Amino acid sequence: NFRPQKQKQWYQRRVRGQSACSKKNTVGKMKLIETILSISSLGFSMFRQFPHDTQGINFCELLLETWSTLWNITDEQAGNCDRFVKYGGLDLYFETYYVCSQVKTNDRAVTIKITTLIRNMLGLMGNIAEVAHIRPKLQESEDMIRSFYMLRSYDREGDSECDIIEIRYSAAGILSHICSDGPDKWIVHDTDLSYETVLKGIEEAVDSWNINSKRSINYKSFNPILHILKVDCPYPCKLWAVWALTNLCQTKANRFVPMLRRDGGVELLNKLKDAPDCPENIKHLSTLTIMKAYDPNIGPEIEETI
């Protein structure tokens, strides 16, 4: 007899509590990821049966908790990302996403939770995509790549602008990380998802975003984004990365400008914009961010609350 509220309460006491008080790199030793994935799988099997009613909402709330925790404990933790993949996380992502994408309802309580769930799942998948040796696994399922490609232009009527841009941003970011490895590493055979098509889709998506969009995402460092600026990769990948830096430094300067300085982002942006073949929009965004970095009113300390 699976009772979602009781399961959620147990999860909050045991699993989320452990993850909050433990260092992320010790999480694997506690088999916490395996535990959370087991709970998520059980919750999903019930959510799939009742996606439109009150019982389904309760199971969706449990999934919100578990995927949020997984997102947190995989952040720049390659070992935890490996465990997520090893214990079936990729299949669980796609199965959950597919059910969420099929839900048709006018119930705002349901749609809000489903949108938030998709946002949390994509945030986690973004962490997975940052790990180079895992990226090929994301291409083993063309349906998974297709989900990212579709979500780069996500739009559901009634959703908040913040949730919409987070989903679009994460989906395009996943594709950018994968494509940054170059065409030789692209193993998707569907002609509708060719390397060139996906790159064009990333560019079109980023060009449509408002650079001043308010967002709820957090980073503990810019290293995953800056990696794309360091490697020889296609223009759309770099456009996504530069847009990300500019957006965060424009909208949450006290938090992210000191981080950009600390992580060597200013030097990379200067090098990028001064390259003779730098496209004008990347040069423009880079210049905006560099100017922000030299703002004397922004101190050296990273603001911890955003």
Side-chain angles (χ1 to χ4, degrees):
N1 184 16
F2 188 84
R3 300 170 64 187
Q5 291 294 73
K6 290 291 185 182
Q7 192 76 2
K8 179 181 174 183
Q9 291 168 8
W10 178 90
Y11 172 84
Q12 289 173 332
R13 290 196 306 270
R14 299 290 299 278
V15 177
R16 193 174 65 177
Q18 289 177 9
S19 66
C21 68
S22 302
K23 292 183 179 179
K24 292 180 183 179
N25 59 7
T26 66
V27 162
K29 298 176 183 178
M30 301 161 52
K31 296 187 176 181
L32 189 56
I33 288 177
E34 296 94 305
T35 301
I36 299 174
L37 282 172
S38 178
I39 295 171
S40 298
S41 182
L42 185 56
F44 167 69
S45 67
M46 303 302 292
F47 169 65
R48 180 168 50 188
Q49 298 179 48
F50 315 102
H52 297 92
D53 59 21
T54 302
Q55 192 169 1
I57 293 176
N58 289 335
F59 288 116
C60 189
E61 288 179 351
L62 175 63
L63 293 174
L64 285 172
E65 293 274 353
T66 58
W67 282 92
S68 178
T69 303
L70 288 167
W71 184 6
N72 179 50
I73 62 181
T74 54
D75 183 18
E76 293 192 52
Q77 295 293 325
N80 291 341
C81 292
D82 278 324
R83 293 181 185 93
F84 174 83
V85 174
K86 178 180 179 180
Y87 292 101
L90 296 183
D91 288 339
L92 184 59
Y93 155 76
F94 184 72
E95 291 169 0
T96 306
Y97 163 72
Y98 179 78
V99 170
C100 288
S101 69
Q102 299 303 303
V103 174
K104 309 297 181 185
T105 177
N106 293 321
D107 188 332
R108 287 290 296 139
V110 175
T111 58
I112 289 173
K113 292 183 188 302
I114 286 177
T115 297
T116 306
L117 178 56
I118 293 173
R119 184 198 68 190
N120 290 354
M121 290 194 299
L122 279 181
L124 182 149
M125 296 302 287
N127 291 342
I128 301 298
E130 292 170 4
V131 184
H133 69 268
I134 299 180
R135 285 198 281 270
K137 294 184 179 295
L138 297 177
Q139 299 184 62
E140 291 177 359
S141 167
E142 292 181 354
D143 286 336
M144 187 175 298
I145 293 294
R146 184 174 290 104
S147 76
F148 302 144
Y149 188 75
M150 292 173 61
L151 287 168
R152 89 199 192 288
S153 56
Y154 173 88
D155 192 13
R156 188 199 292 263
E157 185 177 355
D159 282 352
S160 70
E161 291 184 10
C162 181
D163 282 338
I164 289 173
I165 189 60
E166 290 303 357
I167 289 172
R168 292 176 176 179
Y169 169 85
S170 293
I174 293 166
L175 295 172
S176 294
H177 281 289
I178 296 172
C179 289
S180 71
D181 292 330
D184 292 344
K185 298 291 182 67
W186 188 258
I187 59 175
V188 178
H189 300 297
D190 189 331
T191 55
D192 291 334
L193 292 171
S194 69
Y195 186 72
E196 293 75 17
T197 298
V198 171
L199 285 175
K200 184 178 179 181
I202 295 170
E203 180 180 354
E204 290 174 348
V206 177
D207 281 340
S208 71
W209 301 343
N210 180 357
I211 196 61
N212 295 311
S213 296
K214 303 295 183 182
R215 303 168 56 217
S216 59
I217 199 168
N218 196 9
Y219 280 95
K220 68 178 184 181
S221 86
F222 277 146
N223 291 330
I225 298 175
L226 295 176
H227 171 75
I228 291 180
L229 301 186
K230 295 177 182 178
V231 299
D232 182 16
C233 66
Y235 151 74
C237 304
K238 292 187 183 295
L239 177 62
W240 173 84
V242 174
W243 187 94
L245 296 172
T246 305
N247 168 260
L248 292 170
C249 290
Q250 291 290 323
T251 58
K252 295 180 179 179
N254 290 331
R255 167 70 179 172
F256 291 115
V257 167
M259 185 178 293
L260 183 77
R261 297 167 179 161
R262 181 198 68 188
D263 294 344
V266 178
E267 293 80 3
L268 283 171
L269 289 172
N270 268 312
K271 182 178 179 180
L272 182 67
K273 78 175 182 63
D274 290 341
D277 58 346
C278 181
E280 283 302 316
N281 54 351
I282 286 185
K283 185 177 294 187
H284 172 67
L285 292 174
S286 297
T287 301
L288 286 178
T289 311
I290 292 166
M291 290 174 61
K292 203 73 174 177
Y294 287 123
D295 186 340
N297 295 316
I298 301 174
E301 297 298 322
I302 296 175
E303 186 178 278
E304 292 300 328
T305 56
I306 61 173

